[in-house]
Amino acid sequence: MKKGQKKAVHFAHYKSTCNLFTEGETVAHLKGKKLLAKWEEELGYSVQPEAYLSDLKQRPDVLVKRQGRNDLALEYQCAPITPKRLVERSNGYRSIGLNFFGFWGRNIS
C-alpha cells in the first residue's frame, strides 16, 4: 500500500506479472482482443497482445508475427474515436511497415 502526500492511499504492484494494460477496458474489448489473438494463433502465427511499438509510442491490441510477410497490427476498437485519430493510427502502423486491420464498434465519432 502506498500512502503518498500527493495521491490518495492506494495499492500498487510490486514486481508483478499481471497485465497492466487491461485497466479500464470493457469486457467486450478484452474478449474481442482474445478472440483475434486466438484466431491468429490457430492460423499458425505468433501473437503479441499489447506489444509496445516504441517508434509510434502506441500498442496495437494484437501484433501478429508472420514469417516471410509483413507483420500485422490488429485493433479491436470499442471506445469512441474520431475518424482523424483512426487515420493517424493506421498511417502510423503502415509507416513502420506493418499491415493493419481494425475492427470498429459503433463508437466512432
Side-chain angles (χ1 to χ4, degrees), residues 37-83:
K38 180 182 173 203
W39 285 344
E40 293 298 326
E41 285 177 334
E42 287 174 355
L43 291 171
Y45 297 119
S46 172
V47 300
Q48 293 177 291
E50 300 289 343
Y52 184 68
L53 304 174
S54 58
D55 292 349
L56 302 177
K57 295 180 177 61
Q58 80 186 51
R59 301 173 187 278
D61 289 324
V62 180
L63 180 63
V64 182
K65 296 292 196 170
R66 304 185 308 168
Q67 199 169 31
R69 298 169 64 190
N70 283 9
D71 292 342
L72 175 64
L74 297 177
E75 288 279 355
Y76 191 86
Q77 186 69 38
C78 295
I81 186 172
T82 64

Side-chain angles (χ1 to χ4, degrees), residues 56 58 73 75 77 79-96 98-104 108-109:
L56 302 177
Q58 80 186 51
E75 288 279 355
Q77 186 69 38
I81 186 172
T82 64
K84 180 182 178 200
R85 182 66 186 126
L86 192 154
V87 168
E88 289 170 353
R89 275 186 174 174
S90 61
N91 287 343
Y93 291 133
R94 289 184 184 104
S95 76
I96 61 169
L98 291 174
N99 287 326
F100 168 72
F101 194 83
F103 299 84
W104 311 110
I108 295 178
S109 304

Side-chain angles (χ1 to χ4, degrees), residues 6-24:
K6 293 183 180 179
K7 292 184 179 180
V9 175
H10 64 283
F11 288 99
H13 296 274
Y14 178 75
K15 295 184 180 180
S16 174
T17 59
C18 72
N19 188 352
L20 301 177
F21 304 109
T22 60
E23 186 176 320

